[in-house]
Amino acid sequence: MRLILLGPPGAGKGTQAQHIVQRHGIVQLSTGDMLRAAVKAGTPVGLKAKDIMAAGGLVPDEIVVGIIADRIEEPDARNGFILDGFPRTVPQAAALDKLLKSKGLTLDAVIELRVNEGALLRRVETRIAEMKARGEAVRADDTPEVLSQRLANYRAQTEPLIDYYGEKRKLATIDGMKAIEEVTADIKRVLDALGDSAAKIRSRAARKPAAKKTKASKGAKKAVKAASAGRTGKKAGKKAKVAKKTVKKAAKKAVKKVAPKRAGAKKAKKSAKPAAKKAKTAVRKGAKKASRASSRPAKKVTKTRAKTARRLTKRG
Ligand code: AMP
């Protein structure tokens, strides 16, 4: 499973990511944590990021994209991962798309934790006061002033990702103002539903080729039957017309039913084409037979009329 946790700083992404990690056995990849480790270790990346982070700014896209590209290559990420704090800009999201595509991987969902900014500031202030009271070290960027800057960055640079992933139908929004356990339960529901629908899609995909064939060939069979049933005169013409309609309908139906999604539609259309062609040929043959038959009816009519005349004469 590959997920993104989206939300402003202090929304509880880290806490919720931990729960997901435990439940799904995937790794949490937090660019914030990785950058802080780089700063601590004094690496070239750390040196570049240090002042930007302390001021509540965003580290350049190419640096964080590089960090993520390397990290998802590691064996522990093979099972899946949850991205926390990445992507934070549209170019980062586009780079991630490219990265995943190049590895043949897909993103399962983006979970947005929606919170109220005012409440968020109060939450952070309380947390800082509690940490100080316990004598713990407070992060350099964990002050109300820097948080305001980080929130402004979130609004300007990260919030567009809500539309970005919404349009890709990957987004699930959760009320992050609820109690931690309730948020965890809501996320669990989303991920369970995701697992269910993924299982359904897999089993549908396993049945799909057979279904395609059946629909398309059923349409063709119906049309062929209707066409060959029309053997004489007007009746044949009518039946041929009906058959033609049936072919069109069957082809349309096959496209619609077999592939309701846009991507599948092309394939289904393709598979319905030979069926329609087959049926069209049958219609043409039926029509030919019909016209041959309709060039003979004079004889038949004469015979019938003579018979009737004889009967009438006899009665008379
Ligand atoms: P976080 O712990 O996710 O709040 O990140 C802490 C800080 O690291 C942020 O305020 C940024 O300065 C930097 N950072 C983390 N992730 C990113 C990212 N994806 N893009 C740019 N800067 C980031």
Side-chain angles (χ1 to χ4, degrees):
M1 188 178 270
R2 283 168 290 273
L3 305 168
I4 290 175
L5 259 184
L6 205 61
K13 297 190 298 291
T15 309
Q16 295 304 333
Q18 293 281 316
H19 287 289
I20 300 169
V21 164
Q22 278 164 20
R23 255 187 77 79
H24 296 272
I26 55 177
V27 285
Q28 173 194 4
L29 307 183
S30 156
T31 39
D33 285 349
M34 292 183 228
L35 286 168
R36 274 185 289 277
V39 170
K40 205 172 168 191
T43 65
V45 164
L47 292 177
K48 272 189 210 158
K50 192 177 179 204
D51 292 342
I52 302 172
M53 289 173 76
L58 286 187
V59 174
D61 289 341
E62 60 273 19
I63 292 184
V64 281
V65 169
I67 291 178
I68 286 294
D70 290 344
R71 187 61 185 84
I72 63 175
E73 282 285 332
E74 286 177 32
D76 63 345
R78 217 167 281 158
N79 217 11
F81 47 77
I82 175 154
L83 296 172
D84 161 15
F86 179 91
R88 252 177 161 103
T89 64
V90 171
Q92 286 181 21
L96 176 66
D97 284 347
K98 226 170 133 187
L99 195 67
L100 292 178
K101 199 174 172 196
S102 72
K103 295 183 189 306
L105 302 174
T106 51
L107 189 66
D108 294 290
V110 177
I111 296 169
E112 181 210 357
L113 296 181
R114 192 162 285 184
V115 290
N116 168 295
E117 278 195 17
L120 210 62
L121 271 168
R122 282 194 297 277
R123 225 192 237 181
V124 172
E125 279 167 356
T126 311
R127 193 178 67 207
I128 293 169
E130 283 170 358
M131 284 175 81
K132 279 184 175 164
R134 286 196 298 266
E136 287 171 13
V138 177
R139 261 166 57 178
D141 59 352
D142 230 357
T143 66
E145 300 73 37
V146 177
L147 181 69
S148 296
Q149 179 56 49
R150 290 164 71 202
L151 284 173
N153 285 341
Y154 180 80
R155 251 179 275 124
Q157 312 247 55
T158 313
E159 254 180 17
L161 294 183
I162 294 170
D163 281 345
Y164 183 90
Y165 288 116
E167 278 162 21
K168 289 180 185 288
R169 304 206 171 280
K170 296 278 184 196
L171 189 77
T173 298
I174 281 173
D175 180 2
M177 296 312 293
K178 289 185 184 173
I180 292 177
E181 313 78 60
E182 286 179 79
V183 177
T184 307
D186 287 348
I187 293 177
K188 181 182 174 297
R189 263 192 289 278
V190 168
L191 297 184
D192 286 351
L194 199 76
D196 286 351
S197 65
K200 265 186 200 159
I201 288 167
R202 272 197 300 274
S203 72
R204 220 183 292 148
R207 288 197 310 262
K208 220 172 183 179
K212 252 189 214 168
K213 214 175 171 187
T214 316
K215 296 271 176 192
S217 59
K218 254 189 189 171
K221 265 186 191 167
K222 219 175 167 182
V224 170
K225 219 175 161 186
S228 59
R231 280 205 178 101
T232 51
K234 264 187 184 173
K235 226 178 176 183
K238 235 182 186 178
K239 288 219 170 174
K241 256 187 189 173
V242 173
K244 223 172 186 176
K245 262 189 191 168
T246 317
V247 175
K248 270 191 185 167
K249 258 189 188 171
K252 258 189 190 168
K253 227 176 172 181
V255 171
K256 233 179 177 175
K257 281 200 175 170
V258 173
K261 297 241 166 79
R262 237 179 286 153
K266 264 189 190 167
K267 269 189 187 171
K269 229 178 190 171
K270 225 177 169 184
S271 84
K273 255 189 185 169
K277 210 175 171 188
K278 208 172 163 190
K280 259 189 187 169
T281 317
V283 169
R284 228 182 295 128
K285 276 186 184 168
K288 262 189 188 171
K289 265 186 187 172
S291 76
R292 252 184 269 134
S294 65
S295 62
R296 288 195 300 265
K299 236 180 177 177
K300 260 188 190 168
V301 169
T302 321
K303 262 188 185 172
T304 316
R305 271 190 197 152
K307 244 183 188 175
T308 316
R310 262 203 306 277
R311 216 172 35 231
L312 287 173
T313 332
K314 263 187 192 170
R315 270 187 206 161

